[in-house]
Amino acid sequence: MTTTFCLHITPLNQVVTLDGNELIDGCQTSICESQKHESFYQVRIENGFLELDNSCFGFEKIYFQKKNSSFVITNDVSLLDVNGFVSEGIASILTFGYLLPTLTLYEGINVLPVRATLKLNLATLSYDILDKGINSPSSVERSTVKSVESFLKLNNVDCSSFLMSGGRDSRVIAALNPSDVKKTFTFMLEGFKPDIDDLNNVLSYNNSIIGNHKVIRADTKDKTLCDSYKTSTIEAFDHVHAGRWKFDYFIKNVSSENERLTFVNGQTADTIICLNLTGNDVVSRIRRAAFYGKYSHRAVKFLLKQLSPVLGMFPNKYQMYFQGLSQAKNDAEYYAGYILNDIEFPGIERSKQKRLYKILGSAAMENLYAKTKRFVDGKISLYGSGETHAFMLDLCLSTFIWGMDMRGLREACHRYGHSTNFLFMNNELIRNLLSLPAKYTSPLSQYKRVLSDIERKYKKSIFKDNPTQTSIPLAEQSFEKLIIDGCIGDYWKEQFSTKEFEEFVKYILHQHQIDLSGIEISTTNYTLVDRTMSLFLWYKKYIKSC
């Protein structure tokens, strides 16, 4: 469950209160963010300054705002005064789906980045943000697969609920926590082949792996999906997790009045282990190596840099990657490109770039790129030459994961009275992963080898001899087409044709010189439409209604 808090500062007499209780000079206190993750904020008041340390992962966003003659720091958005959008924030939402940690979506409302400290002058209400990096393990520290395995084992297996996606991450977690009576859930979108493949994988597991298993199915024509879309979008406030409405629908459908569940999951494992640079083929491994930064990897990066202008000329699976790499002028641009294109390729995909330049204008896009580069420059300055892996992990945790990746599931669970346990979001586990022998940490090695080795030990206990299978639809449809042809697509079309949406488009153009007119609802525009609709719903809820 989420625990809300509010720090209120009055500068006239330098009074600080935490949820109505006064904090005196010299005091130090902790605010619990997540009991499950043993995550806390630290507050200190000394010599006329208040310091607030954010947690390592930022499970809850901390906002701060000057309000009249006072200052508010809180994780409860209902305590904030929303006046209007900020142009840079709109650009960030349309480009990424989330805010860069140095940007804000709403006028006067700022967000404290992960692992950062807010240092506030109690007399003047001026403040600084002090950033911190991840503590890299020393070169002599060595961990083992067994030590990593220990972090994925739970003490209260039967009291937990496991999300079973059919992938290796959730399979390994389930194998390390066997029980015939534990609750496991698989969420499936009807007609979507990857979800059916996932379910077939889950149905091939033994009873001790899947326990008391339940499949929650969603039909894209089901109008209650649209209710989940609206609720999850409005309450998101400043980020657009693509699966937020699915999580809302599924969690709502497993909820009962008397049951409070803790959903154990392997979400974020791809990013934490391999920086979300997926794939096991040779090119994928080389591509990963170009991001990690040891001497041999810098040589790979240099070689790719030389070859990229040629390789980017010919149609191939990684053409966008090579084109972006060839254009990067320095390290900051190179790594900025990594987050600018949905944590995948350096440089922005050409079709996406063209659409965004048309909507935002070249000045806004170049400003966003400059802000991204400046943010990356700041992160680079926190690390030494041999710490590029830790730097890249910090970059992922501070942007994609903090900005939106973990939020869809976490917010849905809290909405219906449940909690989450992201097993891979653990400082000691991350330190152990970074300290594994080179055969596990080298990007040139097998993808997520540590999990493969753990799985190999338990393989005989995982799979049934004759598993049942779910039929696969003859005509496979893309996720985007399924949604657009369903009730959410109908809702988008209906809203796009209203007078209120027309007013919103005019407001954004007049106030921010961003042109949202002419956006077509199509599979190629799916993400852009979703983010535009999110801005529209936030406009109605938080700006127009105030």
Side-chain angles (χ1 to χ4, degrees):
M1 295 289 291
T2 303
T3 302
T4 59
F5 78 90
C6 179
L7 280 162
H8 187 272
I9 298 94
T10 307
L12 184 62
N13 48 8
Q14 298 186 26
V15 171
V16 179
T17 60
L18 173 59
D19 299 330
N21 300 307
E22 186 173 348
L23 302 180
I24 62 174
D25 188 62
C27 86
Q28 297 186 31
T29 188
S30 298
I31 303 171
C32 181
E33 177 187 47
S34 169
Q35 288 185 337
K36 185 60 61 179
H37 293 92
E38 298 181 349
S39 178
F40 297 87
Y41 314 123
Q42 303 297 330
V43 181
R44 297 176 298 280
I45 301 176
E46 192 171 5
N47 299 325
F49 286 89
L50 179 147
E51 292 186 352
L52 171 66
D53 299 334
N54 202 348
S55 65
C56 293
F57 298 107
F59 291 109
E60 301 298 325
K61 284 191 174 182
I62 298 178
Y63 299 92
F64 57 95
Q65 179 183 36
K66 288 183 181 179
K67 295 177 70 172
N68 299 320
S69 59
S70 63
F71 197 95
V72 170
I73 307 169
T74 184
N75 61 352
D76 185 352
V77 298
S78 69
L79 300 178
L80 303 170
D81 291 340
V82 180
N83 298 308
F85 287 132
V86 174
S87 302
E88 292 174 343
I90 297 174
S92 187
I93 291 293
L94 292 174
T95 303
F96 305 125
Y98 59 88
L99 294 171
L100 279 178
T102 52
L103 299 181
T104 179
L105 179 59
Y106 301 101
E107 290 176 13
I109 297 174
N110 295 285
V111 188
L112 185 62
V114 176
R115 288 182 306 282
T117 295
L118 171 67
K119 186 172 183 178
L120 177 71
N121 186 313
L122 296 176
T124 65
L125 299 186
S126 59
Y127 63 86
D128 289 314
I129 303 293
L130 311 174
D131 201 4
K132 299 186 191 78
I134 293 173
N135 291 326
S136 300
S138 68
S139 58
V140 297
E141 284 185 56
R142 282 291 174 265
S143 61
T144 64
V145 174
K146 190 172 182 179
S147 66
V148 170
E149 189 177 314
S150 68
F151 285 99
L152 303 178
K153 292 181 177 179
L154 301 171
N155 295 323
N156 54 344
V157 176
D158 293 346
C159 298
S160 298
S161 302
F162 295 76
L163 297 184
M164 300 293 295
S165 69
R168 176 171 286 142
D169 307 335
S170 65
R171 186 163 62 242
V172 166
I173 290 169
L176 292 173
N177 298 281
S179 167
D180 289 338
V181 297
K182 67 184 177 186
K183 291 182 173 68
T184 63
F185 298 93
T186 299
F187 302 153
M188 193 183 89
L189 198 63
E190 297 284 10
F192 186 46
K193 185 178 180 299
D195 278 8
I196 296 172
D197 290 340
D198 268 356
L199 178 58
N200 282 331
N201 279 342
V202 172
L203 293 176
S204 71
Y205 303 158
N206 281 312
N207 289 343
S208 65
I209 304 301
I210 61 173
N212 182 11
H213 182 238
K214 187 174 181 181
V215 182
I216 311 296
R217 301 170 186 267
D219 189 323
T220 57
K221 302 289 186 183
D222 182 350
K223 291 188 178 179
T224 60
L225 266 185
C226 207
D227 297 334
S228 287
Y229 179 86
K230 287 182 275 190
T231 298
S232 60
T233 301
I234 290 168
E235 293 186 9
F237 190 65
D238 62 4
H239 52 272
V240 190
H241 184 281
R244 65 197 180 281
W245 51 269
K246 287 194 298 178
F247 283 127
D248 182 272
Y249 178 88
F250 293 133
I251 300 297
K252 181 166 55 178
N253 278 277
V254 302
S255 298
S256 66
E257 286 186 11
N258 301 318
E259 193 173 34
R260 295 292 176 260
L261 304 175
T262 297
F263 286 91
V264 178
N265 64 90
Q267 204 173 343
T268 70
D270 284 351
T271 307
I272 287 171
I273 298 175
C274 287
L275 309 179
N276 218 34
L277 291 161
T278 59
N280 218 9
D281 55 85
V282 173
V283 177
S284 294
R285 296 185 189 196
I286 290 173
R287 193 161 55 95
R288 273 201 296 278
F291 278 108
Y292 273 64
K294 291 186 179 178
Y295 182 78
S296 57
H297 306 149
R298 288 200 295 273
V300 170
K301 180 172 145 187
F302 175 78
L303 183 60
L304 282 177
K305 175 82 171 169
Q306 304 308 307
L307 294 174
S308 287
V310 177
L311 296 172
M313 292 171 60
F314 304 103
N316 63 81
K317 182 180 178 181
Y318 298 105
Q319 185 178 20
M320 297 301 175
Y321 166 78
F322 293 127
Q323 288 177 347
L325 183 58
S326 66
Q327 294 170 12
K329 301 180 186 70
N330 51 49
D331 276 354
E333 286 195 6
Y334 178 70
Y335 293 116
Y338 177 77
I339 61 172
L340 269 170
N341 196 37
D342 299 328
I343 316 298
E344 187 58 39
F345 301 119
I348 306 175
E349 183 186 337
R350 289 291 171 270
S351 58
K352 178 180 177 182
Q353 186 184 56
K354 191 174 180 180
R355 286 196 298 272
L356 287 170
Y357 264 86
K358 182 180 178 182
I359 292 166
L360 299 174
S362 58
M365 275 304 298
E366 286 162 14
N367 178 57
L368 180 63
Y369 189 87
K371 289 289 175 70
T372 307
K373 180 179 175 297
R374 198 173 305 140
F375 167 72
V376 174
D377 267 328
K379 286 293 182 186
I380 288 175
S381 69
L382 300 174
Y383 296 91
S385 59
E387 298 180 300
T388 313
H389 189 173
F391 151 69
M392 285 296 294
L393 181 53
D394 186 356
L395 203 59
C396 294
L397 290 169
S398 302
T399 55
F400 178 67
I401 289 181
W402 173 78
M404 67 174 177
D405 190 39
M406 66 172 170
R407 304 222 168 268
L409 173 60
R410 187 170 172 82
E411 288 167 0
C413 286
H414 290 174
R415 194 172 295 128
Y416 300 105
H418 307 298
S419 58
T420 52
N421 187 357
F422 294 88
L423 284 188
F424 286 90
M425 297 184 75
N426 177 300
N427 278 323
E428 287 304 311
L429 172 59
I430 289 173
R431 196 173 184 87
N432 273 263
L433 287 168
L434 291 173
S435 304
L436 285 168
K439 66 181 180 180
Y440 294 102
T441 58
S442 170
L444 294 171
S445 66
Q446 179 187 349
Y447 178 60
K448 292 197 290 190
R449 178 170 177 172
V450 61
L451 295 186
S452 298
D453 280 10
I454 294 173
E455 182 182 29
R456 193 175 300 115
K457 289 170 57 179
Y458 295 90
K459 196 161 189 177
K460 288 183 180 179
S461 66
I462 294 175
F463 295 99
K464 295 177 181 176
D465 293 329
N466 298 298
T468 57
Q469 297 282 291
T470 296
S471 60
I472 295 174
L474 294 176
E476 182 183 344
Q477 294 189 67
S478 70
F479 174 81
E480 292 81 4
K481 182 164 175 51
L482 276 169
I483 303 310
I484 288 173
D485 289 348
C487 66
I488 292 176
D490 291 341
Y491 173 69
W492 286 349
K493 292 164 193 168
E494 173 193 301
Q495 293 299 305
F496 269 42
S497 63
T498 62
K499 286 280 187 185
E500 200 170 19
F501 185 79
E502 187 179 330
E503 283 176 19
F504 161 71
V505 170
K506 288 178 179 177
Y507 166 83
I508 296 296
L509 182 61
H510 177 71
Q511 295 290 328
H512 304 284
Q513 292 72 56
I514 292 173
D515 188 1
L516 296 173
S517 65
I519 296 176
E520 295 181 2
I521 298 174
S522 64
T523 55
T524 53
N525 270 346
Y526 176 88
T527 300
L528 184 57
V529 171
D530 188 22
R531 293 170 183 177
T532 300
M533 182 56 63
S534 297
L535 287 165
F536 174 52
L537 291 175
W538 297 333
Y539 164 78
K540 289 205 300 179
K541 170 71 175 179
Y542 301 109
I543 296 175
K544 186 181 177 183
S545 62
C546 294

